[in-house]
Amino acid sequence: MRHLIGSVALVAVIAAAASFIENEFYLRTLFMICVYFLCAAGMNVLLGFAGQKSLGQAGLFAAGAYAVALLTTRYEVGPWLALLLACGVSAFFGILIAMPSLRVKGPSLAMVTLAFGVVIEKLVTEGSEVFGGAMGIYAIQPLTLGGVPFTMLQWVWFGLGLCLVAHLLLRNLLQGRFGRAFLSLQADEVAAGAVGVAVYRYKVLAFVIAAVTCGLAGALVAQQNQYINSDFINFHLSIFILLLVLFGGSGSLYGPLLGSVTLVIIGALVARWTWIEHFVNGALLLFALYAMPKGLAGVFGSLFRKLGLGMRSSAGAEPARIAPKLPTRSVEPGAAGSLLKADSLNKAFGGVVPAKDVSVALTEGHIHALIGPNGAGKSTFINMLTGIIRPDRGTVTFLGREITQQTVHGICDHGVARTFQNLRLFKDLSVRENVLLGQHSRMQNGFVASLLGLPKARREEAKALGKVNDILAFTGLSQYADAPAGSLAYGLQRRVELARALASEPLLLLLDEPAAGLNPQETAELGQLLVRIRNEGITILLIEHHMDLVMTISDHVIVLDYGQKIAEGTPGKIQEDPRVMEAYLGTSIEAA
């Protein structure tokens, strides 16, 4: 509430101050700050939060500008309705640019979006019959109030209002479930899917948000100028929008504001020397990348922390305690027999076959261990159970429902959680935020409720936070809740990953070598923790090379060798099995 009051007060002060400005140039500069803030705010979601690099924002700017131009001049659509429809057109192009971009990452993604921007630029330049080419489109209807076109001061007021609304809406969205999901995409897409984030869906959503805000900005410029031509749409515009985010502070809610204010004012100061403008922007981009990797927001944030003005965590750390219970979900009615069945799973990578007709049945409430020599196919088997790898043949059934072709996040939604052989934490996020991401699939607030900050979204966030605090207490991590996950000792990072998996309230927990890299004391504590988790009603499948741990806590042991199941049974039976001894010791069955 304080942020809302402060934001409204700031905009009101700027609007009041603008009413005393008579110079048209200064008013237009204020208006362009608003326009570029809208571009940067959406780009910040795409780049700063979701980590998707785009160099095609000029094309999305053009989509909004030319949509409103054509609607008002050719089809005589009213200016207000045309503005709304232009946002819809931009959203469509956002989806269009997102779909092929989902198959590529990094520099390749940037090149795909760059190609889109170049295509749009050539289209509006060469398509003179539709888009006017270099001559452009004239007589675009401006926004009106009582039938009278906006004055420059009213454009400024309207722009300030849109910026306020955009900032508040995006703040609502990014400070909760959706913001954490976007950040998980930037950190590790595989881990994001494993905690229940629909990776491709959220990528598309980030592109659409960036497209709508950029298209809205383009429409505003076209309506304010009452004119648009191909000179407005060029590669420099895409670079400038990228610079707004990087210079202001990528991933910060205040970065777009700092970037747009600073760079538009600098641009206004050098406007009389047009030859120097590109040089200044290029120099600022290099300066931001090398000297201020976190932008102006990072510089000010560090300064505030040194002065003791930094914001404290609203959640607050809890004293260490043992939670009486983990938050869990109940087994669906009618589920009978084994919790999970894998039937004749096969997988080949060229000539390497890590899974040959592997069939396993996991009993509810047991700790199952999956053991075997290195290269036996254990991790491949878990990856097939969780959808990261598709089996060539065979089926996986969970609670009587086949999940063989389900997505990674879909399998998590059903109640299967996992950890990884190599740590996949979101290291720049706090321990609490990592574990909150585990609650993503259990939270019920959708996009609209989160965007508008409705009571349902606040209730879901509070409920998830309460569950996460219980999980942190259960796993002994409460005192580290606000520390960056990547700053903890390796053994604690392993425990954070386990806590994140528990936050999805799984019925089945798959652990891929959770004791790897732990010392004997940490390994013993892990064994005790796993037994406590089993006692909470969570079934566990454990891949592990620490035989003392396996034989101590397991109810049932499965042995793989060269991708085939060679034995299974109780720990005592497995220890005496000659095939297991041969696999581990390399001796013949007779000698074993």
Side-chain angles (χ1 to χ4, degrees), residues 57-118:
Q57 297 308 104
L60 299 171
F61 188 94
Y66 278 93
V68 80
L70 293 172
L71 286 170
T72 59
T73 57
R74 293 200 175 190
Y75 302 103
E76 298 183 356
V77 176
W80 288 99
L81 178 58
L83 182 64
L84 291 177
L85 293 176
C87 293
V89 170
S90 301
F92 170 77
F93 278 98
I95 296 173
L96 197 65
I97 190 176
M99 299 310 292
S101 303
L102 299 179
R103 298 183 178 273
V104 292
K105 301 177 183 178
S108 299
L109 172 61
M111 295 307 295
V112 169
T113 58
L114 173 60
F116 169 80
V118 171

Side-chain angles (χ1 to χ4, degrees), residues 5-354:
I5 295 172
S7 300
V8 172
L10 176 62
V11 168
V13 168
I14 297 174
S19 63
F20 293 101
I21 298 176
E22 297 180 358
N23 188 304
E24 194 84 0
F25 176 77
Y26 293 155
L27 288 174
R28 180 165 180 80
T29 300
L30 270 176
F31 175 70
M32 292 310 298
I33 288 175
C34 296
V35 166
Y36 285 122
F37 171 82
L38 292 172
C39 294
M43 185 64 177
N44 189 40
V45 175
L46 181 63
L47 174 66
F49 281 80
Q52 307 302 303
K53 300 172 179 64
S54 174
L55 294 175
Q57 297 308 104
L60 299 171
F61 188 94
Y66 278 93
V68 80
L70 293 172
L71 286 170
T72 59
T73 57
R74 293 200 175 190
Y75 302 103
E76 298 183 356
V77 176
W80 288 99
L81 178 58
L83 182 64
L84 291 177
L85 293 176
C87 293
V89 170
S90 301
F92 170 77
F93 278 98
I95 296 173
L96 197 65
I97 190 176
M99 299 310 292
S101 303
L102 299 179
R103 298 183 178 273
V104 292
K105 301 177 183 178
S108 299
L109 172 61
M111 295 307 295
V112 169
T113 58
L114 173 60
F116 169 80
V118 171
V119 167
I120 295 297
E121 180 183 351
K122 291 299 180 183
L123 184 64
V124 299
T125 302
E126 305 296 334
S128 56
E129 291 184 2
V130 178
F131 302 106
M135 294 296 295
I137 300 175
Y138 292 85
I140 300 170
Q141 292 184 35
L143 295 180
T144 60
L145 191 62
V148 179
F150 276 9
T151 64
M152 196 64 233
L153 177 60
Q154 288 172 329
W155 278 111
V156 170
W157 286 345
F158 184 62
L160 287 171
L162 287 177
C163 290
L164 175 64
V165 171
H167 171 72
L168 293 176
L169 291 179
L170 291 179
R171 184 175 184 271
N172 289 338
L173 189 72
L174 297 175
Q175 287 200 326
R177 177 179 183 238
F178 282 78
R180 290 190 295 269
F182 287 137
L183 289 171
S184 72
L185 300 183
Q186 181 174 179
D188 191 325
E189 290 183 13
V190 174
V195 298
V197 175
V199 173
Y200 295 142
R201 191 182 306 161
Y202 276 85
K203 280 186 177 181
V204 172
L205 178 60
F207 271 100
V208 168
I209 291 172
V212 168
T213 57
C214 208
L216 174 60
L220 290 175
V221 169
Q223 288 186 307
Q224 193 276 321
N225 285 325
Q226 301 180 48
Y227 165 71
I228 190 75
N229 76 343
S230 57
D231 291 342
F232 287 83
I233 315 302
N234 51 50
F235 179 62
H236 169 68
L237 177 60
S238 293
I239 294 298
F240 186 71
I241 293 172
L242 180 66
L243 176 59
L244 290 172
V245 177
L246 294 177
F247 192 79
S250 174
S252 166
L253 287 171
Y254 302 100
L257 175 63
L258 294 172
S260 55
V261 170
T262 303
L263 294 179
V264 171
I265 290 176
I266 290 175
L269 292 175
V270 301
R272 66 182 67 183
W273 305 291
T274 54
W275 59 270
I276 205 174
E277 183 178 1
H278 296 310
F279 171 79
V280 170
N281 287 339
L284 289 174
L285 180 59
L286 290 175
F287 180 75
L289 290 173
Y290 289 100
M292 296 191 311
K294 294 186 178 180
L296 288 174
V299 172
F300 287 127
S302 298
L303 180 61
F304 289 158
R305 283 191 292 273
K306 289 179 181 178
L307 297 175
L309 301 176
M311 294 181 65
R312 298 180 180 179
S313 171
S314 59
E318 288 193 347
R321 61 183 177 86
I322 299 297
K325 282 185 68 65
L326 282 173
T328 56
R329 71 176 93 186
S330 57
V331 180
E332 297 177 11
S338 299
L339 183 68
L340 179 141
K341 288 183 179 180
D343 184 27
S344 301
L345 291 184
N346 286 265
K347 185 64 186 180
F349 299 100
V352 179
V353 186

Side-chain angles (χ1 to χ4, degrees), residues 343-388:
D343 184 27
S344 301
L345 291 184
N346 286 265
K347 185 64 186 180
F349 299 100
V352 179
V353 186
K356 303 176 186 176
D357 293 316
V358 179
S359 297
V360 167
L362 304 183
T363 305
E364 183 183 348
H366 284 192
I367 295 179
H368 301 265
L370 183 63
I371 66 172
N374 288 326
K378 303 182 296 296
S379 293
T380 300
F381 180 70
I382 278 192
N383 286 338
M384 287 191 290
L385 295 185
T386 53
I388 292 176

